[in-house]
Amino acid sequence: MPIIDRYIIKKFLGTLGFMLLLLSIIVVVIDVQSKSPRIEGNGFTVGYFLVHFYPFWMIYLVITFMSILVFISVIYFTSRMANNTEIVAIISSGASFHRFARPYFIASAIIALFALATNHFILPWANVEKNKLEVYTYSEGNREKILGNVEIATQLSPTEYIFINNYNRKEKRGSSFLFQKFDKNRKLIEETSANEIFWDAKKKKFTISAYLHRKASVNESEILANGDTKDLDFGHSPEELFPDELLGQTKTTPELLKLIRQEKEKGNKNLNFFLNELYQRTSMPVSIIVLSILALSLSSQKKRGGLGANLAIGISLAFIFVFSFEVLKVVSENNTISPLLAMWLPNIIFAPLAAFLYFKRANQ
């Protein structure tokens, strides 16, 4: 590899590494200070969280904001090179701007591939560990929404439905259970009600108690059955049967695709939480390359204001990029636009802008 490529890639990765280290230290210190009362109030120690929660939380945080960190890193070290007239010297030696930009493409592509693999296969594993404890850093009201009792209304298939009046996700137990099955003409043909339902981890089945089973028979008659307990096998675990919005984070991409397919087969139309998660796993790594090109184009020329002006522009654009992602995610979850468009729209907008500024800079 030519010296100039090694030099720029070293600066690229070195600055990014410094930013990651600095961010990790600052964010963890601030987060621990703000959340330590909740952590200790739930019976944990800060030391336990530093070992069993924060390493996985930092993986999530770093990968989520990797494109922004790359963007600011490129602006920082490229602006310094421009202020030191290093870029002028390189181009004056006979190298074109396209040749100068080559190591930026190489480094950003390497980081993007790493982020892509992490998003699809490693981050879900980290999220499993993170989500086990993250709820204990929430306020009491938000924690109750996840660990407290909720009302369940879900679809097993196009003709089968489950209703639970009060279901506790943590204990996997609920009261006032109702199962209904309809025929192709939407006529009720089977119904099971019970006072209580709970998940038996050993049997990997649900158990209902004080149940009444009704099944339609010929001549509009019914077959009735009741009893103290009965096992029910719905073919899914409680997490899959009654998914929350965090479930998609803990699935590798093949598992997430399987989950989405299962939910579609069940007739569940509210899949945007999962689809957003699926599409952003690819769109975010691609944004690393897009924002690297944009940062190079903005900061490779010495201008009035120097490094400070470039960083101000970079941080402003980074805020707009992150804000647009979050807004579009909410809009998609409300079924206003498709998840595919929502997760790719920032790249669709920023990519032409980056290309325009890049070629404009190259032709100067």
Side-chain angles (χ1 to χ4, degrees):
M1 182 180 291
I3 294 175
I4 185 61
D5 290 352
R6 292 201 303 270
Y7 177 72
I8 292 176
I9 291 174
K10 183 179 178 181
K11 276 186 170 292
F12 194 135
L13 299 180
T15 305
L16 178 61
F18 174 76
M19 290 281 188
L20 289 175
L21 180 62
L22 187 65
L23 172 75
S24 301
I25 294 173
I26 293 174
V27 170
V28 169
V29 169
I30 294 174
D31 200 72
V32 168
Q33 287 182 340
S34 65
K35 293 179 179 177
S36 57
R38 295 175 188 170
I39 293 171
E40 294 171 349
N42 283 293
F44 297 95
T45 64
V46 172
Y48 181 84
F49 261 65
L50 286 173
V51 174
H52 296 90
F53 171 74
Y54 279 104
F56 307 106
W57 183 70
M58 281 310 304
I59 294 174
Y60 165 79
L61 200 68
V62 166
I63 292 298
T64 300
F65 294 101
M66 178 65 79
S67 57
I68 303 304
L69 290 171
V70 169
F71 182 61
I72 295 174
S73 298
V74 171
I75 284 182
Y76 177 77
F77 84 82
T78 305
S79 296
R80 291 192 63 183
M81 289 178 66
N83 290 340
N84 295 333
T85 66
E86 293 178 68
I87 298 176
V88 173
I90 292 170
I91 294 178
S92 298
S93 68
S96 67
F97 184 77
H98 298 298
R99 175 61 187 86
F100 168 73
R102 189 172 72 179
Y104 286 85
F105 285 97
I106 294 172
S108 62
I110 291 171
I111 297 170
L113 288 173
F114 169 77
L116 187 69
T118 303
N119 265 348
H120 285 280
F121 299 102
I122 300 174
L123 185 58
W125 161 79
N127 284 334
V128 170
E129 302 301 319
K130 173 183 73 73
N131 291 350
K132 288 178 182 178
L133 294 172
E134 187 171 28
V135 66
Y136 298 106
T137 67
Y138 294 167
S139 64
E140 185 175 352
N142 290 330
R143 186 169 64 249
E144 186 66 19
K145 290 178 182 178
I146 296 177
L147 297 181
N149 292 338
V150 295
E151 187 174 334
I152 296 293
T154 191
Q155 201 171 346
L156 278 178
S157 71
T159 60
E160 296 175 306
Y161 300 84
I162 290 177
F163 304 92
I164 304 176
N165 191 30
N166 285 293
Y167 180 75
N168 190 288
R169 295 187 187 276
K170 182 180 180 182
E171 297 180 1
K172 301 176 183 178
R173 180 183 295 270
S175 60
S176 300
F177 165 80
L178 178 66
F179 167 79
Q180 292 181 325
K181 184 175 182 179
F182 297 81
D183 62 15
K184 61 181 181 180
N185 297 317
R186 307 304 298 170
K187 181 181 178 182
L188 182 64
I189 58 174
E190 190 175 344
E191 181 179 272
T192 302
S193 60
N195 289 345
E196 189 178 32
I197 181 171
F198 64 91
W199 174 251
D200 191 323
K202 292 183 178 179
K203 296 180 180 178
K204 294 186 177 181
K205 295 180 180 180
F206 284 94
T207 299
I208 56 175
S209 59
Y211 71 90
L212 173 64
H213 179 74
R214 301 166 55 198
K215 188 173 182 179
S217 184
V218 294
N219 301 324
E220 299 296 326
S221 61
E222 291 183 341
I223 299 175
L224 300 178
N226 66 317
D228 294 329
T229 62
K230 182 180 181 180
D231 292 336
L232 298 177
D233 186 3
F234 296 120
H236 302 283
S237 66
E239 291 78 13
E240 293 175 337
L241 198 60
F242 315 129
D244 57 32
E245 59 189 69
L246 298 178
L247 180 62
Q249 295 182 2
T250 64
K251 301 289 186 182
T252 63
T253 296
E255 293 170 341
L256 182 57
L257 289 169
K258 181 181 178 181
L259 175 64
I260 292 172
R261 186 170 61 253
Q262 289 174 346
E263 290 299 305
K264 285 181 178 178
E265 290 173 353
K266 287 162 55 177
N268 185 359
K269 297 181 180 180
N270 188 20
L271 298 174
N272 286 6
F273 284 115
F274 302 138
L275 292 172
N276 284 341
E277 175 67 26
L278 175 66
Y279 296 135
Q280 77 172 5
R281 290 182 180 185
T282 302
S283 66
M284 289 299 284
V286 171
S287 69
I288 292 174
I289 299 175
V290 172
L291 293 181
S292 294
I293 298 169
L294 181 60
L296 168 63
S297 306
L298 289 171
S299 58
S300 58
Q301 192 171 26
K302 190 173 183 179
K303 59 173 69 76
R304 184 179 298 176
L307 177 61
N310 286 336
L311 282 176
I313 294 171
I315 292 172
S316 300
L317 287 173
F319 174 79
I320 293 171
F321 188 83
V322 172
F323 183 73
S324 65
F325 247 111
E326 294 305 314
V327 169
L328 287 168
K329 188 180 292 186
V330 173
V331 170
S332 171
E333 289 168 0
N334 292 329
N335 295 313
T336 305
I337 62 175
S338 72
L340 179 62
L341 177 60
M343 293 299 97
W344 280 95
L345 191 57
N347 284 338
I348 293 172
I349 294 173
F350 274 76
L353 175 63
F356 170 76
L357 293 176
Y358 173 82
F359 285 108
K360 181 182 178 182
R361 175 67 183 90
N363 293 327
Q364 287 179 345

